[in-house]
Amino acid sequence: MARPLVAEINLKALRHNYQLACQQSARDQALAVIKADAYGHGAIQVAKALEDMAPAFAVAAIEEAETLVAAGIKQPIVLLEGFFSADELPLIHQRGYPLVIHSSWQVDALSLFFKQDNQDQINPLQIWLKVDTGMHRLGFAPDQAVQVHTLLKQQPWVKEIILTSHLACADDLNNPFTQQQLSTLFRLKNQLGTPVSLANSPATLGWPSACEGWLRPGIMLYGASPLKPGHPLGDQLQTVMTLKSRLISVRQIAAGEKVGYGGRFVAKKPTQIGVVACGYGDGYPRQAVDGTPVGVRGQVCQLAGRVSMDMMTVDLGNLDNPQPGDEVELWGPQIDVNEVANHCDTISYTLLTGLLPRVKRLYI
Ligand SMILES: Cc1ncc(COP(=O)(O)O)c(C=O)c1O
């Protein structure tokens, strides 16, 4: 029998979530963000599952785009950080990848590349002009963006310009900063008359005014809501990944006995401890505290003791007659990945993208 840890990926749920994102866009303009191997779900399989629905995809770098092209994906694939060095430009040009431009050095590199290239063979590109509306990570300051826009409009290698920006606080629906960011971008849009792209998942779900132009949903496609539970749209998301394993051993310990490295968990009373085949060598976070929920045979139990490389130990509570082989859910429809993340002082994004290749992905 093989090690029982698998990540089951429900492609029907993925399609449902993508559909939900599209419904928030007046023109069904939602590109599916599938960078970082589709947040750990497998970029090729996710792209193929959405191929008949998504008009475009987005990734972080040309290597990720090339993997998709090699797998036969035909849709435009937006490079969300553009290029990292000028030697990527021949391939970007050849494939016609739409790309973000966030810095002057990129404009200079593109101008130089097309000056050297034969003008007759120019295949003009769709440029996503990134504006820093307050996140202060990537992008041109609004005034500078106007100048760059003017310059780009004159270039034969520019087919279309989309103004884009990233929202820093959209997951907090009470934070006025999002409205400030939106106002800045819409002011530029009106001045320049260009299409826009603003909405990540929290904005797609919670900020209807951001849902103009191209939406860029990522985490919501995978069913992890970036908003607090109770949000009418966030609650409609369906879980895509179920990380499951099995108990491989069960023991009874006496009150006062300790479990695992450092003896972190100390039993207050006689306790049944189950050992699960899953550990930090699979990507399950070692920071998980005692009490992190773990589903065993449908019952919510609690992590007890430090996570080891290949195993973890669980207080099975009053579970009736637990046995090696009993099914365990680390996260999935019963155990919300956001809740696990809260117990690990992190976010669902890191848990999903952090799942290591040794965990088999099973597509259903
Ligand atoms: C530029 C950009 N757009 C969209 C997304 C998708 O964000 P989310 O996963 O929160 O939907 C990301 C993710 O980090 C991003 O960097």
Side-chain angles (χ1 to χ4, degrees):
M1 198 185 94
R3 190 163 179 258
L5 181 66
V6 292
E8 204 174 82
I9 313 286
N10 182 337
L11 297 172
K12 206 168 150 216
L14 173 83
R15 288 171 65 85
H16 163 89
N17 297 336
Y18 177 74
Q19 189 64 41
L20 189 70
C22 280
Q23 284 162 3
Q24 312 318 310
S25 156
R27 308 217 330 257
D28 271 6
Q29 278 189 322
L31 47 79
V33 178
I34 57 170
K35 60 193 175 131
D37 204 23
Y39 293 43
H41 293 68
I44 293 174
Q45 290 84 350
V46 164
K48 295 230 171 227
L50 295 177
E51 210 170 10
D52 62 328
M53 303 169 88
F57 294 105
V59 297
I62 195 169
E63 295 83 355
E64 294 182 330
E66 283 291 294
T67 305
L68 295 169
V69 170
I73 296 300
K74 299 276 186 276
Q75 277 90 335
I77 305 169
V78 180
L79 306 178
L80 287 175
E81 287 158 47
F83 56 98
F84 300 84
S85 61
D87 58 5
E88 296 168 42
L89 290 177
L91 193 52
I92 288 176
H93 183 220
Q94 184 194 332
R95 298 262 194 254
Y97 287 128
L99 75 163
V100 166
I101 294 185
H102 56 74
S103 296
S104 300
W105 71 262
Q106 292 179 315
V107 181
D108 295 345
L110 276 160
S111 301
L112 187 64
F113 172 74
F114 283 107
K115 214 177 276 170
Q116 290 164 346
D117 209 33
N118 183 342
Q119 297 278 329
D120 298 341
Q121 290 170 1
I122 286 180
N123 167 26
L125 297 168
Q126 186 189 60
I127 301 294
W128 290 52
L129 178 57
K130 183 111 171 186
V131 185
D132 176 12
T133 53
M135 183 156 173
H136 299 328
R137 190 175 66 177
L138 286 182
F140 296 94
D143 289 351
Q144 210 188 355
V146 174
Q147 290 167 21
V148 176
H149 182 268
T150 308
L151 183 83
L152 289 176
K153 285 281 274 187
Q154 296 158 6
Q155 306 308 313
W157 45 269
V158 175
K159 180 167 61 184
E160 187 190 2
I161 303 173
I162 293 172
L163 277 186
T164 186
S165 192
H166 202 46
L167 301 171
C169 306
D171 55 340
D172 177 358
L173 299 183
N174 297 315
N175 194 327
F177 192 63
T178 299
Q179 196 46 58
Q180 283 178 39
Q181 287 195 269
L182 296 180
S183 303
T184 303
L185 200 83
F186 284 128
R187 188 166 38 77
L188 277 190
K189 179 211 147 181
N190 293 337
Q191 186 181 341
L192 302 172
T194 44
V196 294
S197 171
L198 276 155
N200 54 3
S201 296
T204 299
L205 294 166
W207 294 88
S209 56
C211 292
E212 194 177 314
W214 282 100
L215 312 188
R216 304 190 309 271
I219 194 77
M220 68 172 286
L221 302 179
Y222 311 105
S225 176
L227 303 177
K228 291 201 179 89
H231 187 274
L233 287 177
D235 286 2
Q236 286 179 44
L237 294 172
Q238 294 178 4
T239 303
V240 175
M241 182 191 291
T242 305
L243 182 62
K244 9 159 111 168
S245 188
R246 291 185 187 274
L247 294 184
I248 58 170
S249 174
V250 176
R251 75 189 54 245
Q252 182 81 24
I253 60 167
E257 287 189 315
K258 297 174 179 174
V259 177
Y261 286 118
R264 183 178 77 183
F265 176 80
V266 184
K268 292 197 177 69
K269 54 181 194 260
T271 303
Q272 327 186 73
I273 295 289
V275 182
V276 181
C278 178
Y280 65 78
D282 301 299
Y284 192 97
R286 187 176 176 274
Q287 311 91 283
V289 294
D290 287 347
T292 303
V294 178
V296 182
R297 225 204 288 139
Q299 184 165 314
V300 181
C301 300
Q302 300 194 328
L303 182 75
R306 270 192 202 138
V307 174
S308 308
M309 189 184 292
D310 315 305
M311 288 174 276
M312 54 203 275
T313 39
V314 178
D315 178 347
L316 297 173
N318 59 4
L319 189 71
D320 185 33
N321 191 25
Q323 295 293 326
D326 282 353
E327 263 213 4
V328 174
E329 180 180 309
L330 285 321
W331 59 69
Q334 183 189 23
I335 307 292
D336 184 353
V337 67
N338 281 313
E339 222 200 302
V340 178
N342 290 340
H343 283 81
C344 304
D345 194 20
T346 186
I347 51 175
S348 62
Y349 297 68
T350 62
L351 298 193
L352 297 173
T353 58
L355 201 62
L356 295 170
R358 94 164 168 173
V359 181
K360 263 186 303 243
R361 271 64 165 177
L362 204 73
Y363 294 89
I364 58 164

